[in-house]
Amino acid sequence: MSDFGLRSLHTEMESEPIRKGFGRGLLEAGKRWNNVVAACADLTDSTQMSLFAEAFPERFVEIGVAEQNLVTVGSGLAAMGKIPFVSSYAAFSPGRNWEQIRTTICLNDRPVKIVGSHAGVSVGPDGATHQMLEDLGLMRVLPNMVVIAPCDSIEAEKATVAMAQHPQPNYVRLAREATPVITTADTPFEIGPAYVLKPGQDVSLVATGTMTYHALKAAEELKRDGINAEVVHVPTLKPLDTATLVKSITRTGAVVTAEEGQINGGLGSAIAETVAEYCPAPLVRIGMPDRFGESGKPDELLAHFGLDAKHIRLAAHHALDRKGKH
Amino acid sequence: MATEKLSAIELQGIANNIREDIIRMLEHAGSGHSAGPLGLADIFTALYFDILKHDPKQPDWPERDILLLSNGHCVPVRYATMARAGYFDRDELMTLRQLGSRLQGHPERLRLSGLENTSGPLGCGLSQACGMSLAMRMDGQQGRWIYVVMGDGEQDEGNVWEAAMLAGKYKLSNIIAITDRNNIQIDGPTENVMPLESLKAKWQAFGWHVLEIDGNNIDAVIEACAMARAVTEQPVMILAYTVPGKGVDFMEYDFHWHGKPPNKEEAKKALHELRTLGGKIRSEHE
């Protein structure tokens, strides 16, 4: 275990879907605070909201397959002092109801907690329609919105409890498939900071959500190449912890970003903006290369689209090559 | 909070003054919507001067009734009525749509106390009412009503029907929605743009109790809301048939006045007409 209470990476790591952590976190938040309520658009079990719905049926609203209504009802619940968590698949919420989120939640500044499950290509066989890749970009451009992408189920649990006390609108991104559990109960988490999970001086590997595990794995592989990579986990994409990122990138002088989403608009874009503005350095982005996914097995798809440790390692070499030429 | 009831004649006088303010505001702003606000003056007068439990000096009074304006483009009528009711000084009406004004072109809750929602993009007011009603139920709150003023054109939006279904399912009986059925929208008559009829049958089919009234008759609005409050186990939709541009002859029934303000000459003509009605707008059914 490192200073951050991380588990060491090995082949037989325990894995659990990130959404499971959300389910436990919401139940916990419901127990702690009476004003925490929940609404779902016909995916109560899939999004793991069922734990809360069973424990607090009088504080749960089944909206039906109506995502526009989901978030606008959330706005009304928040208007009366509730902290509403509203869940669906990310492809539908915020995929379908972006304007309602913009007007009735962000401009109206109501603390609605939007829970987008089943994000990324790792949704697998359901195919492109259900593999949400644009959510981080969609949510990141909205004033007042806070955007969170936990790296595993334990962090998702902490994030959910933290969201229940956060005064602003929040979006949290969850994944369907089992994701290696890399943090422990002792790993620090707050909404806002980026965390240097592994210090290094040659290149900064900046990752979010499910890709943080792959970045840590890539750092181990790079070690064998004689490269000491720093791994920065960004659970909060907005507001971005610019101070931590600029410090890391200024020191290493090269950066690779990794996310299970479109290469445009999400973490990679956020880091590119920061690097261009504050600390110019060679940058390589790992993400979906401006295309849609397709059906397949989760691991197969991640490898197919270059969203894994192997590709992060290659990207780090590219970035370092370019750093040498500067 | 209004303590004594105003007479029908007094209310009609107020509605007419509100119409004059709407004309002045829109002419001064140089943009905005004319027909809807003029047609809604009687409904807003009835709400703020008789129906609503509210306190202009304490807009956040926890026991107040809620009034949501779903079709935000009609907000000039809300501003003009709020000013008359004492929420703020009438002089401020002339800041409509100007930089730094609390009176935004479409209503922003955070800018002006007394607004309950931020609206403009259509079809969202009823959903927010549903959320508010559900929250009140969870808290065991009783005796608070949620009024939602909606347009007819906005009922093209799917979001409206998602909310209609939910309110029917959960029997949200403290929601009283009022549809401003003026038959026009930007591109023309509603029944040409996208047929809405039979609206009554549609709302009934979604589990709502439906009342139909002349929306330019203040007494009828007051009476319908009283009837609506007596309905239990169902949300209520009041289909209020109104005349768009009501009170200004050259604007009435003309969809071209949906989304534009009067110019100086037109405003002068409109104000003259409103004044010579003797402070009264009579419903044609009277």
Side-chain angles (χ1 to χ4, degrees):
Chain A
M1 302 241 292
S2 77
D3 292 341
F4 277 93
L6 294 181
R7 291 169 214 271
S8 59
L9 305 186
H10 50 84
T11 45
E12 296 301 316
M13 284 189 80
E14 186 196 334
S15 285
E16 189 187 36
I18 290 177
R19 59 199 164 107
K20 293 263 186 193
F22 159 72
R24 287 194 297 269
L26 183 60
L27 180 62
E28 176 61 26
K31 285 178 186 163
R32 286 199 212 171
W33 301 291
N34 282 331
N35 64 342
V36 170
V37 301
C40 189
D42 198 27
L43 289 165
T44 310
D45 209 39
S46 288
T47 62
Q48 292 293 302
M49 197 168 251
S50 43
L51 291 182
F52 180 95
E54 282 157 22
F56 305 106
E58 72 290 351
R59 282 151 65 187
F60 172 72
V61 185
E62 174 57 83
I63 301 281
V65 197
E67 296 80 15
Q68 300 178 86
N69 204 29
L70 176 73
V71 292
T72 37
V73 166
S75 171
L77 286 163
M80 291 288 116
K82 302 298 179 193
I83 302 292
F85 282 76
V86 299
S87 74
S88 181
Y89 287 176
F92 318 139
S93 177
R96 178 166 288 192
N97 50 21
W98 184 84
E99 186 283 315
Q100 280 88 347
I101 294 170
R102 175 181 184 267
T103 305
T104 72
I105 295 175
C106 291
L107 179 57
N108 200 19
D109 200 16
R110 294 294 193 195
V112 179
K113 314 298 171 178
I114 297 153
V115 181
S117 183
H118 291 53
V121 289
S122 58
V123 168
D126 277 350
T129 56
H130 285 50
Q131 296 164 350
M132 186 52 165
L133 301 168
E134 297 80 20
D135 53 330
L136 295 177
L138 283 174
M139 292 294 97
R140 198 171 73 83
V141 293
L142 288 171
N144 291 337
M145 181 61 82
V146 168
V147 183
I148 304 161
C151 65
D152 65 15
S153 59
I154 290 181
E155 191 172 67
E157 189 173 339
K158 292 175 194 161
T160 306
V161 174
M163 285 164 69
Q165 288 186 290
H166 192 278
Q168 281 174 267
N170 300 161
Y171 171 65
V172 64
R173 175 185 230 238
L174 309 175
R176 173 181 185 273
E177 273 301 295
T179 302
V181 180
I182 53 179
T183 69
T184 67
D186 299 329
T187 313
F189 175 83
E190 279 175 56
I191 294 172
Y195 295 100
V196 178
L197 299 184
K198 178 201 166 297
Q201 74 272 356
D202 297 332
V203 57
S204 301
L205 308 181
V206 180
T208 190
T210 50
M211 293 305 286
T212 294
Y213 162 73
H214 294 276
L216 285 166
K217 234 172 112 181
E220 288 202 341
E221 290 172 18
L222 285 164
K223 202 170 169 183
R224 290 197 285 275
D225 301 339
I227 294 162
N228 187 3
E230 176 152 298
V231 178
V232 187
H233 171 45
V234 184
T236 307
L237 276 87
K238 179 172 179 285
L240 193 65
D241 180 0
T242 315
T244 299
L245 289 158
V246 169
K247 202 174 147 195
S248 172
I249 296 163
T250 304
R251 201 174 61 248
T252 62
V255 56
V256 174
T257 66
E259 68 203 292
E260 202 187 325
Q262 290 296 352
I263 203 161
N264 297 319
L267 176 74
S269 291
I271 300 301
E273 290 154 17
T274 303
V275 167
E277 218 162 3
Y278 300 109
C279 50
L283 162 75
V284 182
R285 292 172 296 153
I286 295 280
M288 276 297 269
D290 195 23
R291 58 156 295 174
F292 292 108
E294 63 180 89
S295 290
K297 293 192 186 103
D299 285 346
E300 194 174 69
L301 288 165
L302 289 170
H304 181 73
F305 292 114
L307 305 169
D308 58 10
K310 178 181 147 194
H311 288 85
I312 296 172
R313 173 177 161 254
L314 291 174
H317 281 288
H318 280 297
L320 284 165
D321 285 349
R322 285 167 51 203
K323 178 169 132 181
K325 286 175 194 152
H326 272 237
Chain B
M1 196 180 164
T3 45
E4 55 189 81
K5 294 283 178 193
L6 298 171
S7 71
I9 296 291
E10 285 171 313
L11 291 171
Q12 284 166 0
I14 292 168
N16 210 28
N17 288 332
I18 287 167
R19 286 188 166 88
E20 290 176 41
D21 283 342
I22 291 169
I23 294 292
R24 289 191 198 97
M25 289 162 77
L26 290 170
E27 192 262 321
H28 190 74
S31 68
H33 300 72
S34 300
L38 288 171
L40 276 167
D42 306 298
I43 288 170
F44 271 77
T45 301
L47 284 166
Y48 275 98
F49 288 89
D50 190 285
I51 298 164
L52 289 176
K53 191 168 64 179
H54 71 123
D55 181 358
K57 299 300 168 209
Q58 201 189 327
D60 296 332
W61 181 37
E63 289 168 44
R64 72 190 185 283
D65 289 334
I66 303 286
L67 172 59
L68 295 165
L69 176 64
S70 187
N71 50 340
H73 61 268
C74 286
V75 75
V77 69
R78 185 170 197 166
Y79 294 148
T81 313
M82 285 172 74
R84 287 272 166 190
Y87 279 84
F88 55 88
D89 200 284
R90 276 183 55 233
D91 291 345
E92 195 173 344
L93 292 175
M94 293 305 132
T95 68
L96 175 71
R97 290 176 167 251
Q98 288 176 12
L99 182 64
S101 174
R102 298 196 294 169
L103 312 188
Q104 293 290 297
H106 291 85
E108 276 186 43
R109 179 183 71 86
L110 295 170
R111 301 252 182 182
L112 181 66
S113 316
L115 297 179
E116 302 282 1
N117 64 326
T118 295
S119 64
L122 295 168
C124 298
L126 198 56
S127 292
Q128 289 171 84
C130 289
M132 290 175 167
S133 177
L134 287 163
M136 287 178 187
R137 180 177 289 179
M138 289 173 193
D139 290 342
Q141 283 192 46
Q142 291 194 333
R144 280 184 83 185
W145 301 93
I146 304 166
Y147 297 88
V148 190
V149 172
M150 307 166 66
D152 49 3
E154 79 166 316
Q155 294 179 28
D156 295 354
E157 294 276 7
N159 200 158
V160 170
W161 301 102
E162 294 181 1
M165 241 186 286
L166 186 86
K169 172 192 172 187
Y170 284 103
K171 301 182 168 55
L172 301 177
S173 56
N174 69 338
I175 294 179
I176 299 171
I178 302 171
T179 295
D180 178 21
R181 185 67 173 120
N182 67 11
N183 295 293
I184 62 162
Q185 58 194 104
I186 296 182
D187 275 356
T190 57
E191 300 314 287
N192 291 353
V193 174
M194 181 54 66
L196 291 167
E197 292 299 338
S198 163
L199 264 187
K200 184 180 183 179
K202 281 178 179 156
W203 285 97
Q204 283 174 332
F206 281 77
W208 287 59
H209 185 79
V210 182
L211 299 168
E212 291 179 288
I213 60 164
D214 171 357
N216 292 121
N217 181 333
I218 293 178
D219 284 340
V221 177
I222 293 170
E223 195 187 316
C225 286
M227 285 170 72
R229 288 192 298 273
V231 174
T232 54
E233 300 285 310
Q234 268 184 310
V236 178
M237 170 55 75
I238 299 171
L239 295 175
Y241 297 91
T242 64
V243 175
K246 181 72 181 177
V248 178
D249 195 48
F250 62 89
M251 290 184 179
E252 286 188 2
Y253 298 108
D254 183 352
F255 75 86
H256 294 101
W257 285 100
H258 170 95
K260 67 169 183 172
N263 62 27
K264 205 168 180 179
E265 277 311 300
E266 291 159 340
K268 205 172 150 190
K269 206 173 144 196
L271 286 171
H272 176 75
E273 199 185 322
L274 286 166
R275 284 194 203 103
T276 52
L277 285 169
K280 280 182 262 177
I281 292 278
R282 282 288 182 188
S283 158
E284 46 218 70
H285 301 288
E286 281 175 67

